[in-house]
Amino acid sequence: TDVLSVLQVRLVMKAHSFIRENVPRVLSSVKDKSSTVPIPRVSQYLYFLFAPTLIYRDNYPRNPAIRWGYVATKFAQVLGSLFYAYYIFVRLCIPQFRNSSQETFNLRGLVLCIFNSILPGVLILFLVFFAFLHCWLNAFAEMLRFADRMFYK
């Protein structure tokens, strides 16, 4: 359910950007009674939905070709990050809580368990950041030939 919530928030943000960019243009052309109303094409909106950006534009800078080796490398890095996060979770987090589940509940044991899981949790968060925000978005940007790769600004 968390993944669905994140996807819904992303779609709401993209819809907001799309409306914010296009409604003023349409209203001004209606107000000026111009013969052509600048309505974006469906293909422009679909490209925007899959492009790794939250700012709608009618046209984005595009690369001339797709580097499939780069895409494969980024997807391999995503898989490697997932396997490494799984390894950290299984080796460092699960044993902490498995040992505490066999004992009677005490606050000291719970606090120690949580503090021993903080460093592995931070490592997993860094891996998720790297896997999704760097590798996944760059792979899709390359497949869409999206040239503006300023994800971190």
Side-chain angles (χ1 to χ4, degrees), residues 107-121:
L107 186 60
R108 181 181 177 275
L110 180 65
V111 170
L112 282 174
C113 195
I114 290 172
F115 277 112
N116 287 334
S117 297
I118 287 176
L119 183 60

Side-chain angles (χ1 to χ4, degrees), residues 44-97:
Q44 291 172 322
Y45 181 68
L46 285 175
Y47 183 84
F48 169 63
L49 282 181
F50 291 101
T53 183
L54 292 174
I55 300 170
Y56 177 80
R57 299 286 180 255
D58 287 334
N59 295 310
Y60 294 98
R62 306 283 294 271
N63 288 332
I66 299 173
R67 299 174 294 172
W68 291 107
Y70 181 79
V71 172
T73 301
K74 291 301 171 192
F75 281 131
Q77 289 175 348
V78 168
L79 286 175
S81 297
L82 290 175
F83 282 123
Y84 189 47
Y86 173 76
Y87 178 79
I88 289 173
F89 192 71
V90 167
R91 290 292 181 173
L92 299 176
C93 293
I94 291 177
Q96 294 292 327
F97 289 98

Side-chain angles (χ1 to χ4, degrees), residues 13-29:
M13 291 169 68
K14 284 191 176 248
H16 173 76
S17 177
F18 180 78
I19 291 168
R20 184 177 174 163
E21 291 293 324
N22 287 304
V23 167
R25 289 192 307 182
V26 170
L27 291 178
S28 68
S29 69

